[in-house]
Amino acid sequence: MQELLHQFEELRKYIDDQLSRYLENKEGLLEGLYESIRYSLFSGGKRIRPIFCFLVGELFDIPKEKLTATACAVEMIHTSSLIMDDLPYMDDAITRRGKASNHLVYGADVAALASMALLMRSYQIVLQDPSLPAAKKSCIAEKLASTTGLQGMVGGQYVDLRLLEKTMSPQVLEFIHAHKTASLFALSGTLAAEIGEASAAEIAAVENYARNLGLAFQLADDILDTDGSKQETGKSLKKDKCNFVQLYGLDKTKELAKDYTGKATDALQVFDGRNEKLVALGTMLLDRRS
Ligand code: GRG
């Protein structure tokens, strides 16, 4: 386990360096906007999605360089969505990762631009990546767009903002988290599998693992929202209109998180003998306190 934690730390450093490289500013007039982007991008995120991308890459012996743009693109999308999610006309959150939300430091106008710029930059770094063949790049860009757009995170956020409070149903809540959270997890893993020329069965196994883990991750988030502290999570708590704990209670939510983690682990059987790191990642996410 110690070895794995060390590997994650090394990967985090690598991801941070690469993100800095992708966000180098060569235009003085834009410095304020870059500052706002860097403020959120380098504010202590766990980098779980790109780490997952690299772990799947290991299953298929993909050199790290070939996954760098994709892994960083996913992290840019994640940060873009956090900045937007915190805006006054969305969740109106005042803290994120233990710091004031982006819009409280730079203004809602600049925060919205920072979110938009990160999203666009994510597509651009994939499309400009010299290590990927053109067909692969357009396939990745299409998947990035569908996961973030109407059929993905934007759709999930709409249902969250407009329909959740009215219905308070488990189906609606699952729809929201499948689209807002699990879909980006799934994308990180399946893109790595596709870059590694995995078989259809292997890609399906990674997707199955990631979708279940993504939901377990969200359940753990809702548990932390109830029994965690602001110091642990670094964000405003109890802002949810309706979450799994409110629907099912704390004990049942903990049980469900375990069930989804179990389903995620089961999906890895096809990688028998080389799936230990992904199994460990599942346990770490289930037990996380931040
Ligand atoms: C701009 C792509 C885009 C989408 C617009 C605002 C929106 C639609 C969607 C919101 C999606 C969202 C914020 C989902 C929450 C996902 C979640 C559980 C975040 C916490 O992830 P961690 O714990 O965060 O990995 P860190 O801080 O470690 O990076």
Side-chain angles (χ1 to χ4, degrees), residues 258-272:
K258 259 194 202 151
D259 288 351
Y260 278 115
T261 308
K263 281 188 203 159
T265 306
D266 290 347
L268 294 172
Q269 266 160 12
V270 44
F271 304 113
D272 208 16

Side-chain angles (χ1 to χ4, degrees), residues 277-290:
K277 288 186 183 178
L278 291 178
V279 172
L281 180 70
T283 314
M284 279 162 69
L285 295 189
L286 183 67
D287 296 338
R288 76 198 168 94
R289 296 301 299 169
S290 68

Side-chain angles (χ1 to χ4, degrees), residues 227-246:
D227 71 2
S229 64
K230 202 173 156 190
Q231 279 85 343
E232 284 174 316
T233 61
K235 63 180 182 182
S236 316
L237 297 177
K238 304 201 170 52
K239 300 258 326 159
D240 295 337
K241 295 176 283 286
C242 167
N243 68 25
F244 285 108
V245 178
Q246 289 161 23

Side-chain angles (χ1 to χ4, degrees), residues 11-26:
L11 277 174
R12 268 186 209 109
K13 280 190 209 131
Y14 177 75
I15 293 157
D16 283 2
D17 287 349
Q18 299 306 312
L19 286 170
S20 294
R21 186 173 63 83
Y22 285 127
L23 285 156
E24 212 177 296
N25 176 21
K26 298 189 180 94

Side-chain angles (χ1 to χ4, degrees), residues 72-142:
C72 288
V74 169
E75 187 64 17
M76 285 181 192
I77 291 171
H78 169 59
T79 301
S80 160
S81 78
L82 296 181
I83 297 172
M84 186 174 287
D85 198 43
D86 290 342
L87 285 171
Y89 48 80
M90 298 258 173
D91 263 15
D92 196 14
I94 56 169
T95 46
R96 170 71 67 180
R97 294 169 174 166
K99 293 166 72 181
S101 302
N102 194 302
H103 63 271
L104 289 181
V105 181
Y106 298 95
D109 48 358
V110 174
L113 292 177
S115 168
M116 186 73 90
L118 268 174
L119 191 57
M120 298 309 158
R121 187 78 180 117
S122 74
Y123 303 136
Q124 195 184 29
I125 62 172
V126 167
L127 290 167
Q128 289 176 341
D129 185 357
S131 73
L132 294 171
K136 202 60 96 190
K137 287 197 263 208
S138 58
C139 164
I140 296 173
E142 193 282 322

Side-chain angles (χ1 to χ4, degrees), residues 55-219:
L55 291 186
V56 173
E58 277 185 20
L59 290 175
F60 303 101
D61 291 324
I62 312 172
K64 209 159 59 175
E65 296 66 35
K66 220 173 162 186
L67 284 178
T68 301
T70 303
C72 288
V74 169
E75 187 64 17
M76 285 181 192
I77 291 171
H78 169 59
T79 301
S80 160
S81 78
L82 296 181
I83 297 172
M84 186 174 287
D85 198 43
D86 290 342
L87 285 171
Y89 48 80
M90 298 258 173
D91 263 15
D92 196 14
I94 56 169
T95 46
R96 170 71 67 180
R97 294 169 174 166
K99 293 166 72 181
S101 302
N102 194 302
H103 63 271
L104 289 181
V105 181
Y106 298 95
D109 48 358
V110 174
L113 292 177
S115 168
M116 186 73 90
L118 268 174
L119 191 57
M120 298 309 158
R121 187 78 180 117
S122 74
Y123 303 136
Q124 195 184 29
I125 62 172
V126 167
L127 290 167
Q128 289 176 341
D129 185 357
S131 73
L132 294 171
K136 202 60 96 190
K137 287 197 263 208
S138 58
C139 164
I140 296 173
E142 193 282 322
K143 289 190 169 146
L144 291 176
S146 51
T147 302
T148 48
L150 272 174
Q151 299 101 349
M153 298 167 78
V154 169
Q157 182 78 346
Y158 167 76
V159 175
D160 191 352
L161 290 173
R162 284 290 186 271
L163 304 178
L164 180 59
E165 239 172 332
K166 283 187 201 142
T167 57
M168 294 261 194
S169 78
Q171 288 79 4
V172 170
L173 198 55
E174 269 198 33
F175 176 95
I176 291 167
H177 296 307
H179 288 75
K180 282 178 61 171
T181 306
S183 60
L184 196 56
F185 259 90
L187 186 72
S188 315
T190 52
L191 289 183
E194 287 191 25
I195 291 170
E197 305 295 349
S199 69
E202 288 170 328
I203 296 172
V206 170
E207 173 153 19
N208 194 357
Y209 166 83
R211 288 203 178 272
N212 280 297
L213 196 67
L215 284 174
F217 185 81
Q218 186 59 53
L219 286 154

